[in-house]
Amino acid sequence: MRAGDHADPLDRATKEFVAARPQLFGIAYRVIGSAVEAEDIVQEAWVRWQNTDRGDVHEPAAFLATVTTRLAINFTQSARVRRESYIGPWLPEPVDTRQDPQLGAERAEALDMAVLFLLEKLNPVERAAYVLREAFDYTYRRIADIVETSEANARQLVSRARKRLAAERREPVGSTEHRRFLEVFLAAAQNGDLSVLEEVLTEDVVSYADGGGMRGASKIPVSGLPHVSRYLVAFAPRFWPQAQVRWVEANGRPAVLVSASGTAVALLSADVSARGIERLLWVMNPTKLAPFVASLGA
């Protein structure tokens, strides 16, 4: 049945959009790395869908995915300039995946905070092609149509992205082991236990704190086991005594929400391999924390 049937056309268009919406948000979020901005992209896709001659659209979901992906690519191209002037490290905005573990995708790929962080190093078209293939299992022909290239080039885009990620990230552990590492780390960080920190962190560990310029967040990454472990020990007496911690799920992985006097001050995520903790990701920017905390409810 064509999208342009004229019985209640806006009602039908609304139903088609609502059915596609989880996937549209999943695409936009992975490409952009921001839930708030992904919502804006999805809203723009809805506006365009309303203004489209839908009688010419045979596959509404495919049309909407194409519109959303292209909007996300365009947004990311302009956002790269803004992020270059961002104060301190830029980390993705976390999302609560308890209700939708795969976030609208065929597979829960390109959703981990560490993966989204590394995807920032790709150009927007590579990133979109990788997301469409790995998370949504799109054929290379469909990817080529969406990003307006040849099928052969679509394959190359995905291949380059895979190689880049494989070169920069070790195989992650499962969720149970991930949480175990994070529990050991958290206890050691709270107690300023240098010897345990040195056991659980890898030699080339890097700690990133995204505060958007807020006071108390390191404006440069802290790299290497000696520097990260000693930084955490020095940091402990000022940060942890008044803090409350809550275990949450962020981007499909266990994470720790840290609050002080009832206000969230950090979301701690980690990239964990069999070697130990490879990356620490501290989201401290209040504008990124607020939507995540609101999604948790009570």
Side-chain angles (χ1 to χ4, degrees):
M1 186 178 292
R2 292 167 64 90
D5 286 354
H6 294 295
D8 300 317
L10 186 56
D11 181 60
R12 181 172 182 80
T14 301
K15 290 178 180 177
E16 289 163 342
F17 182 83
V18 169
R21 196 184 188 288
Q23 185 179 103
L24 304 184
F25 179 80
I27 292 171
Y29 173 69
R30 287 169 171 84
V31 175
I32 295 171
S34 165
V36 171
E37 290 166 342
E39 289 285 4
D40 291 342
I41 292 295
V42 172
Q43 183 61 30
E44 176 61 24
W46 164 239
V47 171
R48 296 195 180 197
W49 179 233
Q50 291 179 83
N51 295 329
T52 293
D53 183 355
R54 295 183 296 277
D56 294 331
V57 178
H58 294 271
E59 297 182 51
F63 175 88
L64 287 164
T66 298
V67 169
T68 299
T69 304
R70 291 177 182 173
L71 286 170
I73 289 172
N74 291 340
F75 179 91
T76 304
Q77 287 169 335
S78 62
R80 288 172 81 92
V81 176
R82 296 197 302 275
R83 289 174 187 175
E84 286 172 1
S85 61
Y86 191 81
I87 300 174
W90 186 94
L91 295 177
E93 180 187 327
V95 289
D96 178 10
T97 45
R98 291 174 302 167
Q99 299 304 314
D100 183 0
Q102 294 171 274
L103 206 66
E106 296 289 331
R107 299 188 294 267
E109 299 296 326
L111 187 55
D112 191 300
M113 287 282 285
V115 173
L116 290 175
F117 173 67
L118 292 175
L119 285 178
E120 278 289 306
K121 300 183 179 183
L122 306 179
N123 71 51
V125 177
E126 285 176 335
R127 183 168 181 158
Y130 178 84
V131 164
L132 293 172
R133 181 63 182 174
E134 296 301 312
F136 297 89
D137 201 27
Y138 279 27
T139 65
Y140 288 108
R141 178 171 292 181
R142 281 195 68 192
I143 295 170
D145 289 341
I146 290 171
V147 303
E148 300 177 292
T149 189
S150 67
E151 186 173 344
N153 195 44
R155 290 180 180 273
Q156 291 178 350
L157 290 169
V158 175
S159 177
R160 284 202 299 268
R162 285 172 175 161
K163 289 176 181 177
R164 183 72 179 272
L165 291 178
E168 300 206 28
R169 189 185 189 216
R170 294 178 182 271
E171 184 69 23
V173 297
S175 289
T176 300
E177 191 71 354
H178 183 108
R179 173 154 177 159
R180 187 185 72 80
F181 269 105
L182 201 50
E183 285 175 340
V184 173
F185 167 80
L186 181 62
Q190 289 174 313
N191 296 324
D193 192 330
L194 182 62
S195 62
V196 175
L197 288 171
E198 290 176 337
E199 289 178 6
V200 76
L201 301 174
T202 61
E203 284 291 332
D204 49 359
V205 63
V206 185
S207 178
Y208 301 90
D210 179 342
M214 68 174 290
R215 185 179 179 183
S218 176
K219 294 182 175 61
I220 60 172
V222 183
S223 305
L225 179 58
H227 294 102
V228 173
S229 58
R230 290 169 188 164
Y231 174 79
L232 290 167
V233 169
F235 191 60
R238 301 194 302 272
F239 186 71
W240 294 109
Q242 306 303 318
Q244 303 88 47
V245 299
R246 174 183 177 184
W247 284 94
V248 295
E249 180 180 299
N251 296 65
R253 289 284 188 172
V256 176
L257 183 66
V258 184
S259 301
S261 302
T263 299
V265 295
L267 179 75
L268 168 62
S269 299
D271 187 15
V272 186
S273 75
R275 300 195 313 162
I277 295 176
E278 306 275 354
R279 293 178 180 85
L280 292 166
L281 308 173
W282 304 83
V283 177
M284 303 177 74
N285 188 330
T287 61
K288 293 185 178 183
L289 283 175
F292 180 82
V293 173
S295 72
L296 297 177

